[in-house]
Amino acid sequence: MFCSQCGVNASGKFCHECGCLLQSEAPMLYGPERATKPGDWEQDARYENIIRLDAVRAVITQQAANARQGVSGESLLALYDKIVASPIPLKNLVAIVQPLYASWGIGTGKQRTDLIEIPIGRVIAHTLCSFAKHGQAFQSAQQHDTGCVLNADLPSSVCALKGNLTISLLRHELHTQVTATTSIPGQLYDWGKSHRCLEQFFIDLKSDLGLPASVNLRQVA
């Protein structure tokens, strides 16, 4: 299989190049796999075909290499623990409190849905490149007949702890319906983190991100 974080051909549980967790893709629901031709990849709603394109994998690798590593909430709390003496380190306390609050149904997040004038194949490519650009580790894909759902981690930051980013894509002729959802369990507020994440994601969808025109894309054999 191919690592969707850096794009290399890898096997086992973790990618030997970037260390990202490798996960098998969901079974196809639309019948036997069909190769994506160079001229029709932008209309292809199948995640597995898009990730096999050379140029898409190359841009994912480049974006992942250039991704900025921000300060996580856990790192900030660990620094605070060194400055202020506490009987229970805040970093350890959060590791207990966050899942506890999540089990009580406490959490936050936002959702945004737009109809984008971009074919679904290119939107899939943009989504994977956007994940890599912002250090949002790809986790899984669920495929269906007219689109797919892509799931990634929402990294911990000074505003909020680790969460999830889910992108649901549905094909509408030459348009794509995009629903982006953030979910941060165990916190009531994320201080604008979800809003900024969704704003940046939809900006990325309308940027080229280094992806060339379809005539220059070639599928991996």
Side-chain angles (χ1 to χ4, degrees), residues 33-221:
E33 181 179 351
R34 180 178 64 86
T36 301
K37 298 178 182 179
D40 66 5
W41 76 274
E42 291 187 325
Q43 304 298 330
D44 197 333
R46 286 159 291 191
Y47 154 80
E48 185 174 274
N49 287 345
I50 303 302
I51 194 59
R52 286 179 177 273
L53 295 167
D54 281 341
V56 172
R57 293 169 52 241
V59 176
I60 290 173
T61 301
Q62 181 182 15
Q63 293 288 358
N66 295 333
R68 295 178 59 184
Q69 299 296 324
V71 178
S72 70
E74 291 84 354
S75 297
L76 188 64
L77 291 174
L79 178 61
Y80 186 81
D81 284 332
K82 293 180 180 180
I83 299 173
V84 179
S86 174
I88 302 177
L90 291 177
K91 181 180 179 181
N92 296 341
L93 184 61
V94 167
I96 298 172
V97 171
Q98 187 185 21
L100 177 62
Y101 282 4
S103 70
W104 294 346
I106 296 174
T108 187
K110 286 189 178 296
Q111 184 177 93
R112 174 176 166 181
T113 299
D114 280 352
L115 190 62
I116 307 296
E117 294 184 4
I118 302 174
I120 191 168
R122 185 167 284 274
V123 175
I124 293 173
H126 279 232
T127 297
L128 297 172
C129 292
S130 179
F131 286 166
K133 177 181 178 181
H134 301 290
Q136 298 159 346
F138 178 83
Q139 291 300 322
S140 64
Q142 292 85 47
Q143 188 69 58
H144 52 83
D145 289 341
T146 56
C148 58
V149 179
L150 306 177
N151 303 287
D153 288 336
L154 189 58
S156 174
S157 70
V158 296
C159 294
L161 297 175
K162 183 178 177 180
N164 305 293
L165 176 59
T166 300
I167 309 299
S168 178
L169 308 176
L170 183 63
R171 179 170 53 199
H172 287 275
E173 297 183 352
L174 298 179
H175 300 71
T176 305
Q177 180 178 308
V178 181
T179 300
T181 306
T182 63
S183 174
I184 302 174
Q187 287 192 224
L188 281 174
Y189 307 101
D190 65 6
W191 310 108
K193 177 177 179 176
S194 291
H195 175 76
R196 290 188 294 271
C197 171
L198 298 184
E199 282 290 319
Q200 186 58 64
F201 172 71
F202 281 95
I203 289 173
D204 288 344
L205 288 187
K206 298 177 182 179
S207 306
D208 61 38
L209 295 177
L211 289 166
S214 59
V215 294
N216 294 324
L217 290 180
R218 179 175 64 83
Q219 186 179 15
V220 177

